[in-house]
Amino acid sequence: MRELRGLAIAQNCKIEKENEKTWRVPSQSFPRNFYFVKTNGFGAVCNCPDHIKNHCKCKHIFAVEFIVTQTLNEKGEVIAQEIEK
């Protein structure tokens, strides 16, 4: 269910890249609120109540995963690239 909700967020909402490792994802319940997903290319954390309480991959993390691909540069470092909508 979280994955489907994440897909809906990715398809219908504007997810903004804050910096190299952080994405700003809008709340579905409160449109003026945002959650922050931080990723290192191998895992992610979110400051939403679901992720904090249940320590699971929340819909916000799924949303970011849907819009980002991960590639390696010539040094073997992980690079996130946003997929065009």
Side-chain angles (χ1 to χ4, degrees):
M1 192 55 104
R2 287 179 180 94
E3 189 171 358
L4 290 175
R5 289 181 179 167
L7 179 58
I9 293 171
Q11 290 174 330
N12 301 309
C13 299
K14 183 177 181 182
I15 299 173
E16 297 178 356
K17 190 171 187 177
E18 289 284 306
N19 59 48
E20 289 300 312
K21 297 183 179 190
T22 306
W23 297 82
R24 189 171 96 155
V25 183
S27 167
Q28 285 182 308
S29 305
F30 305 100
R32 293 185 181 185
N33 291 348
F34 295 90
Y35 295 109
F36 294 91
V37 174
K38 293 183 182 182
T39 180
N40 62 8
F42 300 102
V45 295
C46 181
N47 67 334
C48 75
D50 182 34
H51 183 75
I52 292 170
K53 180 181 176 187
N54 298 310
H55 305 285
C56 63
K57 192 184 289 189
C58 65
K59 62 186 177 183
H60 309 102
I61 293 173
F62 277 115
V64 170
E65 287 180 353
F66 281 123
I67 67 159
V68 174
T69 60
Q70 297 173 359
T71 59
L72 297 177
N73 66 14
E74 62 278 353
K75 296 178 186 177
E77 300 167 327
V78 175
I79 302 170
Q81 297 178 332
E82 188 170 350
I83 297 172
E84 296 294 327
K85 289 186 179 181

